[in-house]
Structure formats: C-alpha cells, structure tokens
Amino acid sequence: MPSVSIKGKDMPESPIRKLVPYAEKAIKANKTIYHLNIGQPDIKSPEIAMEAVANHNLEILAYTRSEGSLEYREKIAKYYQKNNIPVEANDIIVTTGGSEALLFAMGSIADTGDEIIIPEPFYANYNGFATASGVKIVPVISKIEDNFALPPISEFEKLITPKTKAILICNPGNPTGYLYSKEEIQTLAKIVKKHDLFLVSDEVYREFTYDGSKHYSILEEESMAENGIIIDSVSKRYSMCGARIGCLVSKNKEVISTALKFAQARLSPPTFAQIASEAALETPQSYFDEVITEYQDRRNTLVDALKEIPGVKVGEPKGAFYCIVELPVKDSDRFAQWLLEDFDDNGETVMVAPAAGFYSTPGVGTNQVRIAYVLKKESLLRAVEILKLALQKYKD
C-alpha cells in the first residue's frame, strides 16, 4: 500500500480548526456555541468592496499578472506611502492571502534545514508553513507574566547559527495581541543587519492598535531596505477573510524577483477578489475609527471579565483582537473538546483554541487557550460566564 510523505505526516493540525467536528456534533445536538476560537470578524465588509464586485463589467474572467494587477499594486503602494512606508508597485507581489505570502517568503529566503527565529507563542500556521518549506523554527519564548514582551536581545543572539536566515515577528501579534514598540523594531533591525539576516514582519493587524498606541513598520526603518519583508492581507483590515488576498512587500529586488517565480508557478491571484480589495482601499477613515473603538471596548470587556475568574491569567493585548488566557487546567486540548462534547449551560457552550499549537516548544502552553474577541460585548460577557461555570465543573 502506498504511503504519504514524512512531510505530510509531520504537518501539524490547526489548533483553531481541529475541533470543528466536535462543534458540528454540538450544533446537531442543538447547542448554541459562542465562537471564541477563530479570528473571523463580525464587522461588515466595506460596502464599496462588495459593490465593486456586484457592478463589474468583465466579459471574461481572465488571469491577471502573476504579481497582481498593476492598478491594484499601485494603489497598495499609495496606501503604504500614507503610512510612512516608502514602497512602489514593483516592490509588491499580490498573493492568495497572507498565508501564501508567508510561503513565498520562506521559499525565497530559506533552504531545507535552514532556521528562522520566531518569538513564541506565534500564529499557529507558522508551524505548518515551516514544515511545508522544510524550515526549522527556533523559538524565543515570551511569557504571560511579562505580557509577552520581546525577550532580551541576548536571547535572540545566542540562537543565531550559520543556518539562521531570518527573524519572523507578527506585529501586532496573533495570538498575544502584543504590539512592538518603535524601539524594539529598531533593536531587531540592528540584529538582522549585524548578522546579515532578513526581518520578516507579519503586519496584517496594522490598523488594530489601542490606547492611543501607533504601529511602527519595519520598512519605516531606512536601514531595512535590503533586509525587510512585510507580509500583509486584506482579511482583517477590511473584514474580508474570504477574499484571500494578501501581499509580500520588500525593497530587496532579489527577494521580489525570487518570490515572483513562486507566484508564476501558481499563475495568478483571484480576479474578483483583487477587484474587491482594490475598491476596499477607498474605505474612509471613519470605518476604521468605529472598528477600533468597538474592538477596544470588546477587549476591555473581555479582559476585565476574565480577571474575575479564580485561577485565570490573561495577557493584556495592545493590538489585533486576540489574547492568551492561562486556565486552571492541565490540558487545554481536552478541556476545549469537553466544552463541546460534554458541557453546556442552558444549551449554550463556548469554543476556544488550545494554545499549545501556537508554540513550537513541546509541552509549553498546554494550560492556555487563545480567545478572539470578535463577538459583541453582550456575547463576550455570556461566553465568559459559561467559561467560569465550566471551570467550576471540569475535572482534569
């Protein structure tokens, strides 16, 4: 009997999606589920984007250029320039979501067996992208006790080897909500320049910053022209997860020309989704002002409520719309499954994402979950109430 690849066997399951079969059974059992497990915003996508697709005048749904349409890339460049990121259309490759941009980046800068240093916990799919690319993740652990602050620079430097190709950060962070300061970005820039590495920054949550804080991009640093790579996406910014449009951005011409070969191999990004994404760039600032106010209120509501549960620790997010929560349980995977299979309060339960999958260090994060605050405040309060009741009843 033929067998699948070792790489395939090593591909990790998504900690976010692997519980879906249990959720489906719970729904069939007439349970209502509060979904705290996935970063699918409930905010409406901009009308201007939806109308652009509905009112198109295309007669042939044709390929676009492998790097994305010139018109769209020119408008993306203007968006970046407004955010103090000096790039042009030729510095951008449009991808099928930020996920493909990450795969293109890893494929362009690392060979099989090479290493990328990532502060953990990190976006769970980095594990999968690394496995698919034959890349080894070398983690730098950040801790909930320090609100997931960047570890000391010495922790990074002692991990750098001849096989190290890059440092990868998510800013603001999924799953922690950590927002890197300008000073931290400048410190990372010095490290990668000193050791001739790339600094890859996943900036898909750029707009989602709170308490008056501002996002600082790696490409705002002039010294990062040859070392910096941005990963971006329309998914969260415009609540357009289903569009599957992202981009890879770099002023390093060799990186762009290499990534373009990967883009050519998959032909082109989807046409309708580019039309919607191009139109979304005209979204007024008032849209974001309302969204940020709403998410900041949701964050405050969620964090304050979680702090009232005995034995629970929570990291305070400064950006994105996630937080890591430490629970008084031994195994959050088992707990999350139990919530769906065996527990409800008046026919209602919650779905969370076990956090061990957001680490690459074995045994770390096993008593943590990631919570996405993408529900209305009333639903968040009810979800926390259910979680509190569940923890009172659960036995490890």
Side-chain angles (χ1 to χ4, degrees):
M1 179 177 176
S3 61
V4 301
S5 66
I6 294 173
K7 181 188 294 183
K9 291 177 181 178
D10 287 343
M11 275 292 288
E13 285 185 297
S14 167
I16 306 164
R17 297 177 180 269
K18 68 182 181 181
L19 294 169
V20 168
Y22 303 105
E24 290 174 344
K25 289 180 181 178
I27 292 170
K28 287 181 180 178
N30 295 317
K31 291 183 184 180
T32 297
I33 301 174
Y34 290 89
H35 288 273
L36 304 176
N37 60 304
I38 192 166
Q40 170 60 63
D42 65 347
I43 306 295
K44 285 187 177 180
S45 305
E47 288 184 16
I48 192 171
M50 308 300 269
E51 290 172 355
V53 175
N55 299 324
H56 75 89
N57 57 6
L58 295 179
E59 295 183 357
I60 299 174
L61 195 56
Y63 291 125
T64 64
R65 289 171 61 171
S66 294
E67 59 267 65
S69 74
L70 178 60
E71 295 80 9
Y72 179 38
R73 287 183 292 116
E74 287 177 338
K75 288 185 179 180
I76 300 174
K78 289 180 180 177
Y79 158 80
Y80 285 126
Q81 291 162 13
K82 288 179 182 178
N83 285 277
N84 301 315
I85 301 170
V87 296
E88 304 295 336
N90 289 339
D91 301 321
I92 299 166
I93 292 180
V94 179
T95 58
T96 309
S99 300
E100 188 175 70
L102 279 158
L103 282 167
F104 286 0
M106 288 189 182
S108 297
I109 66 176
D111 292 308
T112 300
D114 283 340
E115 299 171 351
I116 295 179
I117 297 171
I118 312 179
E120 65 176 3
F122 49 69
Y123 176 45
N125 283 333
Y126 293 167
N127 279 319
F129 301 145
T131 300
S133 303
V135 171
K136 179 183 177 182
I137 290 177
V138 178
V140 176
I141 298 176
S142 60
K143 299 179 180 179
I144 194 169
E145 290 80 9
D146 301 323
N147 205 32
F148 299 108
L150 193 68
I153 298 309
S154 58
E155 295 298 306
F156 283 89
E157 295 216 89
K158 69 185 182 184
L159 295 174
I160 295 173
T161 74
K163 287 188 171 292
T164 306
K165 295 297 180 180
I167 295 173
L168 166 60
I169 62 171
C170 186
N171 184 34
N174 174 7
T176 64
Y178 187 75
L179 180 67
Y180 289 82
S181 68
K182 178 179 179 179
E183 291 71 26
E184 287 175 318
I185 295 297
Q186 290 174 331
T187 300
L188 287 170
K190 289 178 182 177
I191 293 176
V192 299
K193 292 290 290 184
K194 176 182 177 181
H195 296 277
D196 203 23
L197 308 175
F198 289 102
L199 178 57
V200 183
S201 184
D202 183 342
E203 300 185 358
V204 305
Y205 298 95
R206 181 183 296 108
E207 271 75 14
F208 300 91
T209 62
Y210 312 121
D211 307 318
S213 300
K214 299 294 183 183
H215 179 266
Y216 190 76
S217 172
I218 62 168
L219 288 186
E220 289 185 67
E221 284 290 308
E222 292 183 12
S223 65
M224 284 288 95
E226 295 301 316
N227 301 71
I229 301 171
I230 290 176
I231 305 300
D232 212 341
S233 169
V234 306
S235 292
K236 316 300 181 175
R237 181 171 301 128
Y238 305 112
S239 194
M240 288 170 52
C241 296
R244 308 314 305 136
I245 289 291
C247 61
L248 181 152
V249 186
S250 181
K251 295 186 72 63
N252 184 310
K253 300 304 181 185
E254 189 174 16
V255 167
I256 291 297
S257 63
T258 303
L260 179 58
K261 290 185 283 187
F262 287 89
Q264 289 169 341
R266 64 85 167 97
L267 304 183
S268 71
T271 301
F272 275 144
Q274 286 184 82
I275 291 171
S277 300
E278 182 179 336
L281 287 165
E282 303 299 326
T283 301
Q285 183 59 40
S286 58
Y287 173 90
F288 298 105
D289 293 341
E290 292 175 11
V291 169
I292 298 309
T293 298
E294 176 65 21
Y295 276 122
Q296 184 166 305
D297 288 345
R298 290 180 182 187
R299 178 204 62 175
N300 295 343
T301 297
L302 174 68
V303 171
D304 289 347
L306 286 168
K307 286 179 178 178
E308 296 297 317
I309 303 178
V312 166
K313 292 181 183 177
V314 57
E316 182 121 8
K318 298 295 183 184
F321 37 68
Y322 309 98
C323 60
I324 289 289
V325 183
E326 192 166 288
L327 303 176
V329 301
K330 294 178 181 177
D331 187 338
S332 61
D333 276 272
R334 289 179 57 191
F335 177 66
Q337 184 174 332
W338 174 84
L339 282 170
L340 296 170
E341 285 193 309
D342 302 311
F343 178 80
D344 68 88
D345 180 59
N346 293 323
E348 297 182 326
T349 190
V350 296
M351 189 172 180
V352 295
F358 295 88
Y359 293 83
S360 63
T361 303
V364 178
T366 54
N367 64 338
Q368 297 175 350
V369 296
R370 187 195 73 170
I371 288 179
Y373 44 96
V374 292
L375 305 178
K376 297 186 185 305
K377 287 181 282 187
E378 298 78 12
S379 296
L380 289 172
L381 287 171
R382 174 58 179 149
V384 174
E385 179 186 18
I386 294 169
L387 184 62
K388 180 179 180 179
L389 294 171
L391 287 167
Q392 290 171 354
K393 187 174 181 180
Y394 182 72
K395 304 296 181 185
D396 277 309

